[in-house]
Amino acid sequence: MAYRIDPATDRRYIEEFRQTPIGQHSPGLMRVLSVMRQDPTGRQVILICRKPFREWVLGEMPPRREDPIAIEDGPIFTSREEAEWEVFRRRWHKLTGEAINLPFRE
C-alpha cells in the first residue's frame, strides 16, 4: 500500500520545509515530498523559471504530457525558495484539504 500523508502526524514537517525548502531534509520530510511529487491525475503544480536565478512562476502539468503546460500570470517570485514554499503549500492543500496560512519566512 502506498504511503499517504496524514496531517495529524506529518504536519510537523511543514516548518522544516518552510525553513529549508532546498537542501538536506529529514527522512520524514523526504517521504512527504515523495508523496507530493506524485499525482495519479497527471496534474501537478510545478515551478517555471522565466529568468534564470531571478524569476519564477507557477504552472500546472496537464494529464497528457503532449498538451501545453498552463502557466499562471502571477504571482511572480524572485526567490526560488519562496516559489518552492508556494508549491508545497498548494500540494499540501490538495492532498490533505488543509490550507497552510503561513508566509514563507517571518
Side-chain angles (χ1 to χ4, degrees), residues 1-5 31 35 38:
M1 181 163 99
Y3 179 78
R4 292 179 189 231
I5 294 174
R31 179 178 36 78
V35 172
Q38 301 170 18

Side-chain angles (χ1 to χ4, degrees), residues 2 4 9-10 17-19 31 33 36 45 49 52 57 60-63 65 72 74 79 89 93:
R4 292 179 189 231
T9 57
D10 293 328
F17 187 85
R18 185 168 82 121
Q19 293 304 316
R31 179 178 36 78
L33 293 174
M36 289 182 154
V45 175
C49 182
V57 293
E60 183 179 277
M61 292 291 293
R65 295 302 184 238
E72 295 182 9
S79 155
R89 288 169 18 100
H93 184 261

Side-chain angles (χ1 to χ4, degrees), residues 78-96:
T78 57
S79 155
R80 179 176 165 209
E81 291 83 1
E82 188 172 8
E84 293 279 3
W85 173 240
E86 183 60 23
V87 169
F88 183 93
R89 288 169 18 100
R90 290 187 188 195
R91 289 180 180 177
W92 180 273
H93 184 261
K94 183 176 183 179
L95 291 169
T96 68

Side-chain angles (χ1 to χ4, degrees), residues 36-90:
M36 289 182 154
R37 291 176 179 144
Q38 301 170 18
D39 190 326
T41 68
R43 296 187 182 280
Q44 188 68 288
V45 175
I46 60 169
L47 285 184
I48 299 168
C49 182
R50 293 195 334 185
K51 295 180 182 173
F53 307 103
R54 293 187 312 155
E55 191 174 287
W56 294 263
V57 293
L58 301 182
E60 183 179 277
M61 292 291 293
R64 294 176 0 123
R65 295 302 184 238
E66 59 270 14
D67 291 341
I69 295 172
I71 300 173
E72 295 182 9
D73 292 330
I76 297 171
F77 299 95
T78 57
S79 155
R80 179 176 165 209
E81 291 83 1
E82 188 172 8
E84 293 279 3
W85 173 240
E86 183 60 23
V87 169
F88 183 93
R89 288 169 18 100
R90 290 187 188 195

